[in-house]
Amino acid sequence: MMEITLLKYSILAVALTAAPAFFVTQALALDVNSFRAEHGLPTLSPSAALSGMAYSHAADMAARKTLDHKGFRERMTGSTGAENVAYGCPDADCATRMWAKSAGHRRNMLMRGVSSYGIASATASDGRRYWVLELGN
């Protein structure tokens, strides 16, 4: 796991490469897909299941006011996948830019062997917004 703190923003990345009506933000999906296309990788399809996982985790982090990957392995059981999390960004463009500049997050967004994504955010009682991008199959 890698933690990076950039000014008032913080992000974490984790990846799992083992074989064992949510808040989908199209802007991020397009950015992730454009980013992948720039690197010769196929675009990803939106997944309601991954979006649900992303929202559940974002809401949990917002409730606890903690940035982490708690439960990632359970969420991604039996699948190749990755998860990017961030807080402090007001919008999806900010989260995407942060992830693209971080080696671990960049690696996740460029992961081969994934075909779908889910993205969601939740806002904590203090106004801080938590973002989760789930990548999988």
Side-chain angles (χ1 to χ4, degrees):
M1 185 174 353
M2 178 173 127
E3 182 173 352
I4 297 175
T5 303
L6 304 169
L7 301 173
K8 66 179 182 177
Y9 305 117
S10 184
I11 54 179
L12 290 172
V14 68
L16 174 67
T17 55
F22 295 103
F23 299 94
V24 177
T25 304
Q26 282 299 108
L28 182 58
L30 295 173
D31 288 346
V32 169
N33 281 330
S34 295
F35 186 70
R36 288 176 62 84
E38 287 174 11
H39 294 87
L41 295 173
T43 58
L44 304 175
S45 300
S47 164
L50 291 174
S51 294
M53 289 180 214
Y55 178 73
S56 178
H57 188 50
D60 180 57
M61 289 190 303
R64 294 181 293 115
K65 297 181 184 171
T66 302
L67 188 68
D68 61 25
H69 294 285
K70 181 180 176 185
F72 173 69
R73 290 192 182 276
E74 292 77 17
R75 285 191 295 281
M76 299 303 284
T77 300
S79 173
T80 297
E83 175 177 86
N84 287 354
V85 297
Y87 73 77
C89 279
D91 57 38
D93 288 335
C94 172
T96 303
R97 282 193 307 273
M98 283 177 45
W99 290 329
K101 292 177 183 177
S102 160
H105 298 93
R106 179 184 179 90
R107 184 171 42 252
N108 285 349
M109 291 192 300
L110 296 176
M111 179 180 274
R112 295 179 186 277
V114 295
S115 59
S116 302
Y117 71 91
I119 177 72
S121 69
T123 304
S125 60
D126 63 3
R128 180 173 282 164
R129 198 163 184 185
Y130 290 78
W131 290 91
V132 179
L133 171 65
E134 301 283 9
L135 302 162
N137 294 309

